[in-house]
Amino acid sequence: MNIGIVCFPTYGGSGVVATELGIALANKGHKVHFMSYSQPFRLNLFNENLFFHEFNVNDYPLFDYQPYESVLASKIVDVAVYEHLDVLHVHYAIPHASVAYMAQQILKSKKIHLPYVTTLHGTDITLVGRDPAFEPVIRFSLNHSNALTAVSESLRKDTLKTFKIDNKISVIPNFINLKDFQITREHCVKRKYAPNGEKILVHISNFRKVKRVDDVIRVFHKVLQEVPAKLILVGDGPEKANVEQLCRQLNLHHEVVHLGKITDPKEILCVGDLFVLPSETESFGLSALEAMAMKVPVISTNGGGLPEVNLHGKTGYLSNVGDVNDMSANAIRLLKDEQLMATFRKNAFERAADFDVEKILPLYEQVYRQLLSKEVVI
Ligand code: GMT
């Protein structure tokens, strides 16, 4: 198949899923055409089946807001015509679903049918999508998507609660390529961060409010009172300065390592003992899945789709949002009990295997094939 993929190229789960999906499809022999305003941060183009079509949204002094949607729709039309796309897959509803609809209509005027799949990732529904200003456009473009997928059952339900959707929403969870996580822990340079054998807690996110990174710091503060430990923070974003401030206030700045944006977190996860994800809500929690694939148990909240990934008392623990005491008690219990930790590590890895690309990729291929098998008269 010739597949077009539209995604945001920035540091975030939807871009990672879109990129990993494109790579996996290309490895299976499909031709994959990415369209984005810059190269997605995890996209490596060393594959004869992968193509990247960049578009530039020029800055015209007349506009306060640049016409991203129009430029993207034109790019989709161009790529569809010249690369003979069979199907278009857009990631993140806003604004990609309505752009896909517009491109589809333009192509129709050229007697070309391009079916599109919209994948909902989370904040496009649970945060940004809640803004009533978007409602008519989101509802319309989701109802007109030729296929609609959500990354968890929780997100599917949230979407149905928030919008009047008549379209069927299929759940296709996030995935990892387990083969890429086969770094043996003996090769991990833990000593660099924990020279005296301290336990290592890891958090990875884009430091937005929804991630509640200050709770990570508070959990770590309590853990430190019982277990010698270090905290590695990966990522950057609007809350970063506040988080650094809190570390100073709690006198933790020598115990916390800020690594900024890292393209591939595997080597960091590899040195981790626990992954902490105290988000307000998380439609799936791809970073938690990546940690589990690296045999790192997860201390998380129970919001959104997290319970569909992190199994309470097996692969980690779930707590109510903001319950720092419970999260730290769970973390301490695991860190102090080596046998329990070994069991959780094994469980985490086994659970992650349920989300291996080999199991999830066919689900997307099936969606594409169903669209292609539909007879459309234009
Ligand atoms: O987690 C983020 O902040 C990025 C965001 C995105 O849309 O790029 O991630 C969302 O999509 C990921 C991939 O499907 C999910 O694993 C994340 O849980 C989801 N984030 C939230 O729901 C907050």
Side-chain angles (χ1 to χ4, degrees), residues 11-15 17 92 120-124 126-127 151 174 206 208 210-211 279 281-287:
Y11 199 72
S14 61
V17 169
Y92 210 85
L120 309 172
H121 280 276
T123 48
D124 43 356
T126 57
L127 285 178
V151 298
N174 285 178
N206 47 20
R208 284 183 287 139
V210 67
K211 301 290 173 180
S279 309
T281 177
E282 198 68 61
S283 67
F284 184 92
L286 179 61
S287 56

Side-chain angles (χ1 to χ4, degrees), residues 66-293:
Q66 304 312 318
Y68 171 83
E69 285 91 333
S70 303
V71 181
L72 173 55
S74 298
K75 181 53 91 181
I76 295 171
V77 170
D78 185 72
V79 174
V81 170
Y82 290 99
E83 304 291 349
H84 306 289
L85 294 185
D86 296 309
V87 64
L88 176 70
H89 190 166
V90 296
H91 293 261
Y92 210 85
I94 305 169
H96 295 154
S98 54
V99 172
Y101 178 78
M102 195 201 294
Q104 186 178 65
Q105 294 306 303
I106 297 169
L107 286 162
K108 199 171 161 186
S109 73
K110 297 175 187 289
K111 301 269 178 266
I112 295 172
H113 174 60
L114 180 66
Y116 71 96
V117 182
T118 304
T119 289
L120 309 172
H121 280 276
T123 48
D124 43 356
I125 298 297
T126 57
L127 285 178
V128 193
R130 287 210 189 274
D131 183 341
F134 291 120
E135 202 273 340
V137 173
I138 299 186
R139 174 143 61 104
F140 179 89
S141 51
L142 297 192
N143 276 330
H144 284 79
S145 295
N146 301 96
L148 197 50
T149 75
V151 298
S152 64
E153 185 52 35
S154 145
L155 182 59
R156 191 184 75 84
K157 287 188 179 141
D158 274 343
T159 309
L160 294 175
K161 237 188 277 160
T162 315
F163 299 102
K164 269 190 84 186
I165 302 292
D166 315 313
N167 221 346
K168 177 180 167 226
I169 307 177
S170 311
V171 174
I172 304 187
N174 285 178
F175 59 91
I176 32 93
N177 188 340
L178 216 54
K179 280 197 210 105
D180 294 344
F181 286 79
Q182 316 270 308
I183 308 175
T184 51
R185 294 181 68 89
E186 294 71 50
H187 288 112
C188 302
V189 279
K190 190 163 181 178
R191 259 171 300 130
K192 223 168 37 180
Y193 297 108
N196 303 309
E198 296 93 335
K199 300 292 184 194
I200 295 185
L201 280 66
V202 181
H203 170 80
I204 302 177
S205 76
N206 47 20
F207 284 64
R208 284 183 287 139
K209 262 207 165 10
V210 67
K211 301 290 173 180
R212 297 184 66 103
V213 188
D214 48 342
D215 281 358
V216 177
I217 308 301
R218 292 182 205 287
V219 167
F220 177 63
H221 187 226
K222 286 184 181 288
V223 167
L224 251 193
Q225 284 153 24
E226 305 245 358
V227 183
K230 297 279 181 185
L231 171 66
I232 300 182
L233 295 175
V234 179
D236 207 342
E239 290 299 303
K240 186 68 179 274
N242 291 341
V243 168
E244 278 172 354
Q245 190 56 34
L246 182 62
C247 289
R248 287 184 199 142
Q249 262 170 29
L250 297 174
N251 206 20
L252 293 174
H253 46 291
H254 293 304
E255 321 305 330
V256 181
V257 184
H258 297 263
L259 290 185
K261 287 182 186 167
I262 285 186
T263 317
D264 186 348
K266 290 186 202 79
E267 286 189 46
I268 304 300
L269 289 170
C270 176
V271 301
D273 292 291
L274 280 183
F275 187 76
V276 187
L277 192 62
S279 309
E280 180 85 39
T281 177
E282 198 68 61
S283 67
F284 184 92
L286 179 61
S287 56
L289 177 61
E290 291 186 326
M292 286 160 57

